[in-house]
Amino acid sequence: MHGRRVFVLGMGRSGLVAAQALVAGGADVLCWDDGETGRQRAEEAGLSCSDPLRGGLEGVDMLITSPGIAHLYPKPHPAIGMAMQLGIPLDNDIGLFFRSFATQSWTGFDMAPKVIAVTGSNGKSTTSALIHHLLEVAGRRSQLAGNIGRGVLDLQPAEDGDVIVLELSSYQLELARSLTPDIAVFTNLSPDHLDRHAGYGGYFAAKRRLFAEGCPDVAVIGVDEPEGQYLATQFSDHTHDDRVIRVVSGQKPKGNNWQVTARKGFLAESRKGRQIASIDLRDIPGLPGAHNHQNASAAYAVLRALNVAPRVIEEGLRSFAGLPHRSQMIGEISGVRFVNDSKATNVDAALKALSAFDNIRWICGGLQKEGGLSALQPALGHVQKAYVIGREAEAFAMQLDVDCEVCTTMQAAVRAAYAQSQPGDVVLLAPAAASFDQYDSFETRGEDFIAQVGAIKGT
């Protein structure tokens, strides 16, 4: 990018880091954020801001946009629309990363660095963090970035044998001009962000780009849904193609492919119809429930593709502490456990959280996504009562076929759930909705849950 004029739109974490990386690479960089706070952040970092709608795109060679800014659906941001009319190429920080990752210094390495990219609707954060943890346990130097942790252009330059683990959302994948991971992971697919992708097909198409555009050496694909099955067959040349590792949940392995299955609390690896390894996941505290067993299976498959022994992987699985806001055990008060799964922002994630526990006092609600709540029905037998929060709590509660109490606030919900609990119950925050009606993020919502539990402990 040396000597080229580049416009960076959006001064959040990834946009700010991208602009700074471009400056360091010798580009002439202009920036903009629709919010005053973002522009102030850029100016404090020594970057120049210019309104793109007032001549800011003059002479620009490329526009780099942040993931949260719509470039096509439901409608393009005005600056992006103008850039496309002017024929200015679009990219994002993920595309820049893949285009600049390999350097001349690699010619002297004994082992070329690798990139593992993880996508899917649910579980991609836990799977990415777990892969990173397993690599460290196995003695492989690793960095974690993307939709989790650091911005990709904030990573340290790769050294001999390094592994980069990236969590990539559909927003990041749909626009990146370059996608070249060594190993690509597809966890699962369920409806999410449908307005941004103009429907379910567009959402899947964004995820599929990681494989169709990237052509990874190995693809680890969850095949519980038809889309995953389709993706696996598209990537395979024949039934014994070891470039594809299928991840199966809740079923016995079928066929003679390379498969990793999670069933009844056990992880099993099979190749050519023969089981070659098995791990009991039932007593691993950092990976509770079938959904986390699926995450463990995907991470296991990646490590096996890197020739790490099953016993080493098992050691890493047992020492994994889990991620905040993902089936996070907060503590226990008088025999009642409190679990924070604020990251369960859609119905499918909430369904998996509800399926992981019994005797649940369920805190749910928030900014509801498309599709309704009927898909939660199979797990409602685990729920003793729901405590609904959010500005539209009454409307949310009316859709649930379970005893409900409209609480609106987190404080009221936590106090009511605990007051009505018996020893052995689980107070579970699994909202099945976005947080933005009351909170800035799912993290803030989860932290409020933790604070309210802490207040009960202190009484």
Side-chain angles (χ1 to χ4, degrees):
M1 290 294 172
H2 183 81
R4 300 178 69 182
R5 194 171 209 197
V6 184
F7 197 101
V8 181
L9 182 64
M11 286 290 103
R13 182 193 65 174
S14 64
L16 188 63
V17 170
Q20 292 171 322
L22 286 161
V23 169
D28 175 17
V29 178
L30 294 174
C31 302
W32 185 254
D33 193 290
D34 290 340
E36 186 177 345
T37 301
R39 296 195 297 272
Q40 183 178 351
R41 189 184 300 122
E43 289 168 355
E44 289 173 353
L47 299 166
S48 299
C49 288
S50 176
D51 188 342
L53 302 181
R54 296 181 179 176
L57 294 181
E58 185 176 347
V60 167
D61 296 306
M62 177 168 286
L63 188 148
I64 304 299
T65 182
S66 295
I69 301 174
H71 67 275
L72 192 55
Y73 303 115
K75 63 179 181 179
H77 183 281
I80 295 178
M82 178 181 291
M84 291 192 293
Q85 289 175 359
L86 295 172
I88 298 172
L90 305 179
D91 205 349
N92 60 18
D93 63 326
I94 304 303
L96 290 178
F97 166 80
F98 278 109
R99 291 162 66 186
S100 62
F101 180 53
T103 66
Q104 197 66 32
S105 63
W106 287 25
T107 57
F109 291 170
D110 292 328
M111 184 184 299
K114 292 185 180 295
V115 177
I116 299 165
V118 181
T119 195
S121 296
N122 298 305
K124 56 184 178 293
S125 294
T126 297
T127 300
S128 300
L130 183 53
I131 292 168
H132 174 63
H133 173 75
L134 294 175
L135 286 165
E136 291 186 326
V137 170
R140 297 287 297 271
R141 194 166 43 219
S142 172
Q143 298 183 69
L144 178 65
N147 203 43
I148 184 174
R150 315 163 71 173
V152 291
L153 296 175
D154 195 32
L155 290 167
Q156 296 299 314
E159 299 181 11
D160 197 337
D162 279 5
V163 181
I164 307 298
V165 184
L166 303 180
E167 179 197 337
L168 299 179
S169 70
S170 58
Y171 289 8
Q172 293 168 311
L173 291 172
E174 67 176 347
L175 188 60
R177 293 171 65 88
S178 178
L179 290 167
T180 54
D182 297 278
I183 300 175
V185 182
F186 176 85
T187 58
N188 49 55
L189 196 75
S190 62
D192 209 355
H193 311 303
L194 300 189
D195 58 337
R196 172 66 179 261
H197 300 293
Y200 201 42
Y203 178 51
F204 174 54
K207 301 288 189 186
R208 182 179 175 274
R209 287 193 78 240
L210 183 61
F211 301 83
E213 304 288 333
C215 296
D217 295 333
V218 176
V220 174
I221 301 174
V223 293
D224 292 343
E225 296 87 26
E227 292 82 3
Q229 297 164 16
Y230 169 77
L231 193 59
T233 55
Q234 274 209 319
F235 200 76
S236 303
D237 281 338
H238 49 81
T239 56
H240 295 157
D241 193 340
D242 282 350
R243 296 178 305 156
V244 179
I245 308 176
R246 289 167 169 79
V247 175
V248 183
S249 301
Q251 304 175 45
K252 292 181 179 180
K254 298 176 182 178
N256 295 322
N257 318 105
W258 191 357
Q259 298 182 51
V260 180
T261 62
R263 184 169 178 264
K264 297 182 178 180
F266 286 86
L267 181 156
E269 178 187 2
S270 60
R271 299 180 75 168
K272 298 180 180 178
R274 184 171 64 89
Q275 181 175 305
I276 59 177
S278 178
I279 298 174
D280 187 349
L281 302 173
R282 294 173 297 177
D283 61 346
I284 298 179
L287 295 166
H291 61 305
N292 275 311
H293 296 170
Q294 181 188 49
N295 299 335
S297 298
Y300 175 97
V302 169
L303 271 289
R304 292 294 289 138
L306 294 172
N307 296 315
V308 177
R311 59 178 178 78
V312 177
I313 301 173
E314 181 174 2
E315 177 187 345
L317 292 174
R318 295 195 177 281
S319 61
F320 182 63
L323 286 180
H325 314 298
R326 286 100 168 160
S327 296
Q328 178 188 12
M329 191 68 65
I330 300 304
E332 185 173 316
I333 305 174
S334 302
V336 178
R337 289 180 292 161
F338 293 83
V339 179
N340 168 26
D341 204 334
S342 184
K343 185 61 171 68
T345 58
N346 59 43
V347 167
D348 188 63
L351 175 66
K352 291 174 179 176
L354 292 172
S355 301
F357 303 97
D358 294 312
N359 304 318
I360 296 171
R361 302 282 174 173
W362 176 32
I363 299 176
C364 57
L367 186 63
Q368 190 176 332
K369 297 182 178 180
E370 293 182 23
L373 304 175
S374 60
L376 291 168
Q377 190 65 37
L380 294 183
H382 296 243
V383 177
Q384 294 187 345
K385 188 173 182 178
Y387 304 82
V388 187
I389 63 173
R391 294 179 185 172
E392 304 295 332
E394 290 189 13
F396 195 98
M398 289 178 65
Q399 300 177 64
L400 297 174
D401 187 17
V402 68
D403 186 20
C404 289
E405 182 172 333
V406 174
C407 298
T408 306
T409 68
M410 184 70 74
Q411 181 184 49
V414 171
R415 290 184 178 276
Y418 176 65
Q420 298 168 26
S421 293
Q422 301 292 326
D425 286 356
V426 174
V427 176
L428 170 68
L429 171 64
S435 60
F436 302 122
D437 61 330
Q438 290 183 306
Y439 301 95
D440 291 337
S441 64
F442 73 83
E443 292 96 340
T444 307
R445 177 172 58 189
E447 287 160 6
D448 189 15
F449 175 75
I450 294 169
Q452 300 306 328
V453 174
I456 292 174
K457 284 183 178 181
T459 58

